Amino acid sequence: MARSSGGGYGDGGGDNFDCYADAIPLNGLAAGTAFATAWVDVTLFIGIQDEDTFEGYTDNTGLNGLNKGLIWAGTWVDIDLYAGMTALDSFETYPDDEDINDLNDGTGFAGAWVDPGLTISS
Amino acid sequence: MATKTLHRIINGQNDVAAVLSNSSLCRLMSIGSNWQRLRVALRLRVTDSGANVQGSPVFVVGVCAGTSQPYNNGAGNTQHFFGCYENGTTWTRTAAAGGVPANYATTTNGGVSLRRVGTITGSAGGPLHYTCRLMTETRCLYFVDILKAGGSWSMLQHCKGHPADAYDCTYEDFIDKAVLDTFTFQNHGSYSWRSASYTPNEAANGYFDAVNVSWDRSNPKIEISDLAVVRFA
């Protein structure tokens, strides 16, 4: 925010902002004394432009479509990446010396382990 | 033969493994066949038979259609399989020395892509790469990537090469590396994509919706400490 001085003498003038309406942009306002021009408010183009602290959202809620924070041009969009580890079994939960067939721990699998009991040597 | 669990204490920590002994193990994935590039990631070791493994042993890692007819090197039908095959005629054993456990060099040419429909098996080589090495006593990483690509699918293998060392890959190593595109780690490496020169016909032969690991010997055994499925695309 900036404003040019009028170059006069005395108390130098000033703007106590008391005559402006509440919550309006300063850009273009021209009250006060001894200024040559109106207030000019420009975007800095540096620093934090958009921010969301996520504090206003309900616990354990999907972010997709939520719209708090500053100054974003749209809502949060959350899509499945379709990448990454999708299934894992470390076998640690199974007892010793047990047939693997039908064991079903681990995550991300659609069924239990299947060991058809094949002898695969030709 | 049956694949059985085996509890060991390795470096002071419990490790339950799925032990392949002339058996074929498979499991349906939650993502079905909805993937373009998939990794079957294993942390494994082998037992020590005390000798070379001769007669073209068959160790395959990949995907199959359903779980009723997985990869079977014998007379039985395989509905549909695609993956990696260690194609060495002899797995050459190196005895333990200098703190490095005994280990097997499965082949000097790495794994090749392998497909099987019914009783018909085909494989394709591609660019040569280094020895694949499987360790006794210590666990190593063994990943197989499968890429569905238009006219020809491809396979990428990540495994321990040479020289052998005494490093035992931890569960944390496994999780860290399983999600990386390529990596170099403790004499492990990511090798070259190998074109299968082949496009599996999933519509006709079955969609690849299960992981499948097979090993056709009972000595040595292959102990799988962890198995993960990683989707890259």
Side-chain angles (χ1 to χ4, degrees):
Chain A
M1 191 170 71
R3 195 171 182 184
S4 298
S5 168
Y9 298 96
D11 65 3
D15 192 343
N16 62 13
F17 305 101
D18 288 342
C19 64
Y20 302 133
D22 184 29
I24 59 173
L26 265 289
N27 190 39
L29 299 186
T33 60
F35 289 104
T37 60
W39 287 108
V40 177
D41 184 22
V42 297
T43 304
L44 284 176
F45 298 109
I46 59 173
I48 295 173
Q49 301 296 310
D50 306 307
E51 181 188 23
D52 193 342
T53 64
F54 303 103
E55 298 307 321
Y57 302 133
T58 306
D59 184 31
N60 197 30
T61 302
L63 264 292
N64 191 41
L66 297 187
N67 195 24
K68 292 185 183 298
L70 303 170
I71 307 168
W72 308 96
T75 66
W76 287 110
V77 177
D78 182 25
I79 58 173
D80 290 332
L81 284 177
Y82 300 111
M85 191 171 295
T86 62
L88 171 66
D89 194 345
S90 68
F91 303 102
E92 298 308 313
T93 56
Y94 302 135
D96 187 26
D97 196 30
E98 186 88 359
D99 284 346
I100 294 287
N101 191 40
D102 285 337
L103 295 185
N104 195 26
D105 286 338
T107 59
F109 293 97
W113 287 109
V114 177
D115 178 13
L118 299 172
T119 298
I120 74 163
S121 56
S122 48
Chain B
M1 301 290 284
T3 307
K4 304 192 84 170
T5 58
L6 176 67
H7 172 250
R8 291 185 188 275
I9 297 177
I10 301 175
N11 291 332
Q13 295 190 321
N14 292 315
D15 183 24
V16 178
V19 182
L20 293 170
S21 175
N22 194 10
S23 55
S24 185
L25 183 66
C26 53
R27 189 169 182 179
L28 290 173
M29 302 180 289
S30 63
I31 57 174
S33 59
N34 182 23
W35 52 272
Q36 287 296 310
R37 178 185 167 190
L38 191 76
R39 172 174 294 169
V40 181
L42 310 176
R43 184 168 67 117
L44 55 74
R45 68 181 198 170
V46 295
T47 58
D48 187 1
S49 68
N52 293 346
V53 185
Q54 298 179 324
S56 300
V58 177
F59 177 50
V60 300
V61 176
V63 290
C64 63
T67 56
S68 60
Q69 292 180 306
Y71 184 88
N72 178 5
N73 194 43
N77 282 316
T78 296
Q79 182 176 343
H80 203 187
F81 172 89
F82 186 88
C84 177
Y85 161 50
E86 294 292 337
N87 70 335
T89 54
T90 299
W91 286 20
T92 304
R93 177 181 178 273
T94 299
V100 177
N103 57 87
Y104 294 95
T106 64
T107 167
T108 58
N109 191 19
V112 299
S113 64
L114 182 78
R115 61 191 184 273
R116 183 173 172 91
V117 178
T119 58
I120 300 172
T121 302
S123 63
L128 300 180
H129 53 66
Y130 302 110
T131 298
C132 177
R133 191 175 302 273
L134 299 181
M135 307 297 294
T136 67
E137 305 298 328
T138 56
R139 293 158 294 190
C140 54
L141 309 180
Y142 189 99
F143 301 165
V144 172
D145 292 9
I146 296 167
L147 175 64
K148 297 179 179 179
S152 178
W153 288 25
S154 297
M155 184 276 295
L156 175 62
Q157 184 184 29
H158 319 255
C159 62
K160 197 177 188 73
H162 60 81
D165 59 40
Y167 186 80
D168 179 49
C169 290
T170 66
Y171 177 76
E172 288 72 23
D173 294 332
F174 172 72
I175 295 298
D176 286 348
K177 302 299 183 263
V179 297
L180 297 180
D181 188 3
T182 59
F183 64 93
T184 301
F185 166 72
Q186 295 291 343
N187 291 320
H188 290 70
S190 301
Y191 299 133
S192 303
W193 282 99
R194 300 190 130 180
S195 171
S197 302
Y198 169 74
T199 302
N201 189 340
E202 291 187 273
N205 299 315
Y207 289 91
F208 295 120
D209 58 2
V211 290
N212 188 191
V213 185
S214 291
W215 171 235
D216 75 339
R217 302 301 171 94
S218 55
N219 187 28
K221 296 176 176 22
I222 294 180
E223 301 178 358
I224 302 171
S225 291
D226 308 290
L227 185 149
V229 177
V230 183
R231 175 161 57 181
F232 287 90

